[in-house]
Amino acid sequence: MLFSTEPKTSLSELFDREVEIERLRNGLNERLVLVLGIRRVGKSSLVLSVLNSLGIDYVFIDVRKLYDNVSRKVPAERIYNELRSSLSRLSFWERIKGVINEIDVSLGPIRFRLGTSRIRDGIARILEAINDVGRHVVLVFDEAQYLRYSTIGLRPLLAYTYDYLRNVTLVLTGSEVGLLHDFLGLNDPSSELYGRYYFVIELRPFDRERSIEFLRRGFKELGINVDDRVIERAVDELGGIAGWLVYFGRLYPPEKGEDAINEVKEIGANLVRTELEELFSRSQYYRYIMERLPCSVGLGGATS
Ligand SMILES: Nc1ncnc2c1ncn2[C@@H]1O[C@H](COP(=O)(O)OP(=O)(O)O)[C@@H](O)[C@H]1O
Ligand SMILES: [Mg+2]
């Protein structure tokens, strides 16, 4: 369903994005791919749909999910556990099961109390085991800028994967592009990843015409008849971010008519506010920057 709020997972569900699909397919032959774009523009959807369409093995880790609001960190053991639990989905799981169990045993049942360097070692050994099978595997860190809050330095691990684990392609998505670049330090001589070639796919919001088509198609699928004027106004006010169009599509009960547009803006504004609060909680510096921006973030003036 076009108006489903989860990321799409197959190309048949994906609207438009032919160019980006092709680019991502090509990018998977490289060592490192960055998929960049603001929140809800469709990064996760693109990555998941393309990977599923190719039928190749991949591990998908949503780093935002691992962030701990209390410690304001991404605890190392969460990364280990997430990686570990996604392995059974790999087509060659049976072949690496033995090695992985050995790694588990060597870390012991209380691995959350282990020194972080041992957890990093455990993660490295899992990645080596995956690589050694000899099949191409894609390792996705979704919203990878959150890796900067990890309790272990993950950058050396990514650099190691880049340089030595030739069967593993790294795909990192990021909506806070500056933070992602800071974390990776691809242009920073002091970074382990300095100077590495990377392939970028930038996802932009849909243009007006496509956004209108998106809403029309979604409503048609639901069998709801919506006046073109409402659709056009919604697009003019909400812009072409797929996630907002989906919210509008979901919230639009015909009896509410154009009021639904305001409702979506209201919800959107609240979401943006919540997300900003979360950002501020991580960094006062962020607040400082945001307060000095000439315009509010997203959805026109709705956030101010
Ligand atoms: N190309 C697309 N076609 C259909 N739906 C999309 C598309 N891109 C994004 N969406 C929808 O928009 C919302 C946000 O997409 P998502 O992939 O989670 O964005 P991001 O990962 O950039 O935050 C989801 O409801 C998703 O289903
Ligand atoms: Mg996402």
Side-chain angles (χ1 to χ4, degrees):
M1 192 178 73
L2 200 57
F3 289 160
S4 70
T5 49
E6 302 81 40
K8 304 294 186 283
T9 55
S10 77
L11 289 185
S12 62
E13 299 174 296
L14 206 65
F15 176 86
D16 194 60
R17 301 299 190 206
E18 280 80 14
V19 174
E20 292 86 353
I21 292 169
E22 199 47 39
R23 270 185 72 73
L24 181 54
R25 281 194 181 131
N26 292 331
L28 293 176
N29 296 319
E30 305 291 342
R31 310 288 313 119
L32 171 62
V33 182
L34 305 186
V35 179
L36 309 174
I38 50 180
R39 287 174 192 225
R40 299 197 180 81
V41 79
K43 299 175 297 298
S44 306
S45 297
L46 175 76
V47 171
L48 287 167
S49 301
V50 167
L51 290 175
N52 287 331
S53 79
L54 294 171
I56 53 178
D57 280 296
Y58 68 87
V59 169
F60 187 95
I61 296 179
D62 179 352
V63 191
R64 191 163 43 183
K65 211 176 73 187
L66 306 181
Y67 182 77
D68 174 36
N69 282 318
V70 178
S71 64
R72 295 177 187 173
K73 293 275 178 209
V74 173
E77 65 276 11
R78 285 197 187 172
I79 301 175
Y80 181 91
N81 288 335
E82 189 69 14
L83 175 64
R84 173 65 186 81
S85 62
S86 58
L87 298 178
S88 54
R89 284 185 43 249
L90 296 171
S91 67
F92 51 80
W93 165 238
E94 288 300 326
R95 283 174 64 183
I96 55 169
K97 208 166 154 181
V99 188
I100 302 299
N101 284 338
E102 274 171 33
I103 299 171
D104 274 345
V105 170
S106 75
L107 291 184
I110 51 158
R111 64 177 159 260
F112 50 90
R113 283 188 222 137
L114 285 176
T116 50
S117 66
R118 285 189 62 195
I119 296 180
R120 183 167 51 204
D121 190 47
I123 295 175
R125 284 168 67 196
I126 289 181
L127 296 180
E128 283 163 359
I130 291 175
N131 182 70
D132 289 349
V133 173
R135 294 210 207 143
H136 185 207
V137 179
V138 179
L139 174 58
V140 186
F141 285 107
D142 197 26
E143 298 294 351
Q145 69 275 357
Y146 278 75
L147 289 175
R148 69 207 299 270
Y149 303 108
S150 118
T151 50
I152 48 175
L154 269 183
R155 204 162 64 183
L157 207 60
L158 295 180
Y160 174 70
T161 306
Y162 187 111
D163 290 342
Y164 296 106
L165 306 182
R166 308 300 289 186
N167 296 316
V168 180
T169 294
L170 291 167
V171 173
L172 311 181
T173 83
S175 45
E176 294 164 50
V177 179
L179 292 186
L180 180 59
H181 275 293
D182 283 354
F183 165 68
L184 295 173
L186 291 153
N187 301 316
D188 169 6
S190 68
S191 161
E192 294 83 352
L193 279 165
Y194 175 66
R196 303 301 193 287
Y197 172 76
Y198 57 101
F199 191 92
V200 179
I201 297 165
E202 207 185 325
L203 276 183
R204 295 184 179 282
F206 296 129
D207 61 22
R208 187 170 189 272
E209 206 180 315
R210 288 210 176 94
S211 305
I212 289 172
E213 177 60 24
F214 185 95
L215 286 181
R216 274 196 196 131
R217 207 182 283 182
F219 284 126
K220 194 167 170 208
E221 214 179 68
L222 295 178
I224 302 176
N225 208 354
V226 181
D227 197 291
D228 267 356
R229 271 179 322 188
V230 176
I231 289 186
E232 283 175 24
R233 219 196 108 199
V235 166
D236 288 339
E237 299 214 15
L238 298 171
I241 299 171
W244 298 125
L245 298 175
V246 164
Y247 282 142
F248 175 72
R250 297 293 291 236
L251 285 165
Y252 182 84
E255 68 276 8
K256 277 208 176 150
E258 297 192 23
D259 283 350
I261 298 174
N262 292 329
E263 213 164 294
V264 175
K265 282 176 79 172
E266 183 75 18
I267 292 173
N270 284 333
L271 279 170
V272 171
R273 211 174 289 130
T274 314
E275 284 174 359
L276 285 181
E277 283 306 323
E278 188 202 300
L279 282 180
F280 293 156
S281 80
R282 285 187 267 137
S283 160
Q284 283 304 314
Y285 182 60
Y286 223 110
R287 181 187 294 276
Y288 177 83
I289 295 171
M290 297 308 291
E291 281 171 1
R292 272 144 193 85
L293 286 181
C295 58
S296 56
V297 177
L299 299 173
T303 60
S304 56

